[in-house]
Amino acid sequence: MKIILEKISLLGLSFMLVSTFAISPLLPEMTAAYTAAGISLNQIDFLLSVPSFMIIAVLLASPYLSRFLTEKLIFVLGLLCISLGGSLPALTQDYPLVLMSRLVLGLGIGLINERAITIISQHYSGSERAKMLGIRGSTEVLGSATLTFLAGQLLRGSWSSGFLIYLLGLPLLGFYLLFGNAKSDDKSKVANRPKKAKTTLSARQVWHIVFMALYAGSVILINTGITIRLPMLVEELKLGTAIDSSLILSLMMLMGILAGTLFASLMAHFRQFLQPLVLLALALGLVLIWLAPNLVFLAIGALTTGFVYSIGVTSVFHRLSEILRTNQLALGTTLVLLGCNLGGGMAASVVSFLSTMSGSNSNLFLTLAILCFIAGLVLLLPLLVKRQPDRAI
């Protein structure tokens, strides 16, 4: 039982890592309130994206913070920043203070982002590591879906009440302190000792990390783009209401839970072919959305993308644990997370540009599908060529 509670406590650290956009159900009322007060739409949009930039800044500073902060203290500070900073707009809706609260939220997520992933790779190995990484990815998705749903329910009071969702970080902190910090302290003590093992990355390792950062960032950019544009597509094609769009997006997020439970099996079966197949499956889902004659067809496409998105991102961190030594994982994970956050932060601008170039939100999905298909083939063909001599033998 103790081992199970320990695993839950470590997995719980990932529950709020993708909570930046969980307040999206609040946007219509929030926008109306701020525009009436003379706040521009660009300033309101900035409230959504600013945590991502703070996360990137903290990730860049992470190696220096680790020199004088223990792993336990970093988790405590991170969860406190998420909980108290994230929920501040429930008390005051003054724009500068809300902006500050979003910065503090990004600070908290940035502090625990890399460590919530590497702590799994450090504590587990082999098939158990793959299983735990898959469940960790599911935990992220479950957290995003849960917080988004709760924010919508709290909207019945007022739009500012939706920010109370971030207080869920406090029970997660308590659970970690009770069951998960023993191993973390041991690891942090080891991490703070002078290391004899070489931590410098080889040129080959750097190339793999750059590729995985680009891969993860691209997959996240596409998934975020779907999240942003799918409600507008439903309205544009008159396939349903905003409530229908919200339900599809929630189900799309929850597909990540299924993806997490199946990840270890899929990784064992497809191995190096998994990442290119993810891109091809993403292309298929995007085509289904583009062709959708009705809401059900569109939902199938969205659920397909939600499933393979989680598989793709989890495969990146699993691959990291295979090519890097334990004392290199923190640096490698940080670099990949920079790519992830850049992809998420750039999503709105990229999809806006592509939709303008393609002429409509519908054609945007076709454009993304073509790009995914080409990228998938580029990754898949060299692997197929490598296998040809093996078959001949």
Side-chain angles (χ1 to χ4, degrees):
M1 186 64 180
K2 182 180 178 181
I3 295 176
I4 294 175
L5 291 174
E6 183 181 87
K7 287 183 177 181
I8 293 174
S9 68
L10 297 182
L11 291 168
L13 296 170
S14 297
F15 189 80
M16 305 190 78
L17 288 186
V18 288
S19 60
T20 301
F21 296 98
I23 60 164
S24 55
L26 314 178
L27 282 177
E29 291 193 19
M30 183 176 166
T31 301
Y34 276 135
T35 50
I39 306 296
S40 70
L41 288 175
N42 286 336
Q43 288 174 296
I44 298 169
D45 289 339
F46 189 61
L47 292 176
L48 282 181
S49 59
V50 71
S52 296
F53 298 113
M54 176 58 79
I55 293 170
I56 292 172
V58 176
L59 285 172
L60 290 172
S62 182
Y64 304 99
L65 294 175
S66 299
R67 293 179 182 177
F68 55 89
L69 294 177
T70 64
E71 189 170 82
K72 175 182 176 181
L73 182 57
I74 287 173
F75 281 131
V76 171
L77 290 175
L79 288 170
L80 284 176
C81 287
I82 292 172
S83 301
L84 303 182
S87 61
L88 180 63
L91 299 178
T92 175
Q93 293 79 54
D94 186 53
Y95 182 85
L97 291 177
V98 173
L99 177 61
M100 183 191 72
S101 78
R102 299 294 286 174
L103 288 169
V104 175
L105 172 68
L107 171 63
I109 295 175
L111 282 171
I112 67 174
N113 207 341
E114 169 262 316
R115 289 166 184 83
I117 299 170
T118 56
I119 199 172
I120 300 296
S121 297
Q122 290 170 344
H123 289 176
Y124 305 97
S125 60
S127 60
E128 188 176 16
R129 174 191 286 167
K131 182 178 180 181
M132 286 292 290
L133 285 171
I135 298 174
R136 193 211 66 80
S138 296
T139 303
E140 274 193 5
V141 175
L142 177 62
S144 177
T146 301
L147 294 172
T148 303
F149 173 77
L150 290 177
Q153 297 304 304
L154 290 171
L155 186 60
R156 296 177 183 180
S158 65
W159 68 263
S160 59
S161 299
F163 286 88
L164 292 173
I165 58 173
Y166 293 108
L167 290 177
L168 280 175
L170 294 178
L172 292 175
L173 172 59
F175 205 80
Y176 165 73
L177 291 174
L178 284 174
F179 303 108
N181 66 310
K183 273 192 173 183
S184 299
D185 284 344
D186 292 341
K187 290 291 179 181
S188 63
K189 289 175 184 175
V190 172
N192 289 330
R193 292 173 188 162
K195 292 185 177 91
K196 295 181 181 179
K198 184 180 178 182
T199 58
T200 305
L201 299 172
S202 67
R204 184 178 179 83
Q205 287 174 323
V206 170
W207 163 248
H208 279 298
I209 290 171
V210 170
F211 164 75
M212 286 184 283
L214 290 172
Y215 179 91
S218 300
V219 171
I220 289 173
L221 187 152
I222 292 168
N223 183 73
T224 306
I226 294 171
T227 303
I228 294 171
R229 292 295 178 173
L230 189 127
M232 300 173 69
L233 179 65
V234 170
E235 182 178 344
E236 182 181 291
L237 299 180
K238 297 183 173 19
L239 298 178
T241 65
I243 295 175
D244 296 323
S245 301
S246 177
L247 177 60
I248 291 173
L249 289 177
S250 297
L251 292 174
M252 189 175 97
M253 293 177 189
L254 290 174
M255 286 300 290
I257 298 175
L258 177 61
T261 58
L262 295 177
F263 173 75
S265 299
L266 291 172
M267 192 70 202
H269 184 72
F270 292 107
R271 299 187 67 79
Q272 72 268 33
F273 291 93
L274 186 60
Q275 290 186 337
L277 289 176
V278 162
L279 293 177
L280 295 178
L282 262 178
L284 174 62
L286 288 162
V287 168
L288 292 177
I289 295 174
W290 173 64
L291 291 173
N294 53 55
L295 198 63
V296 173
F297 205 84
L298 182 141
I300 293 172
L303 295 182
T304 301
T305 63
F307 177 80
V308 294
Y309 149 76
S310 294
I311 294 292
V313 174
T314 303
S315 71
V316 166
F317 293 109
H318 180 265
R319 179 63 180 150
L320 270 183
S321 67
E322 290 184 328
I323 67 169
L324 300 180
R325 294 186 294 273
T326 301
N327 60 329
Q328 295 175 319
L329 275 173
L331 176 59
T333 303
T334 297
L335 294 174
V336 170
L337 285 173
L338 287 173
C340 293
N341 283 283
L342 282 173
M346 293 171 58
S349 299
V350 171
V351 297
S352 177
F353 171 76
L354 291 178
S355 61
T356 301
M357 294 296 293
S358 59
S360 68
N361 287 314
S362 178
N363 290 336
L364 163 69
F365 290 94
L366 176 61
T367 304
L368 290 174
I370 293 172
L371 293 174
C372 280
F373 182 74
I374 293 172
L377 285 182
V378 168
L379 295 183
L380 183 62
L381 290 176
L383 296 175
L384 293 174
V385 170
K386 280 184 181 180
R387 292 193 60 169
Q388 294 302 320
D390 295 335
R391 289 180 180 176
I393 292 171

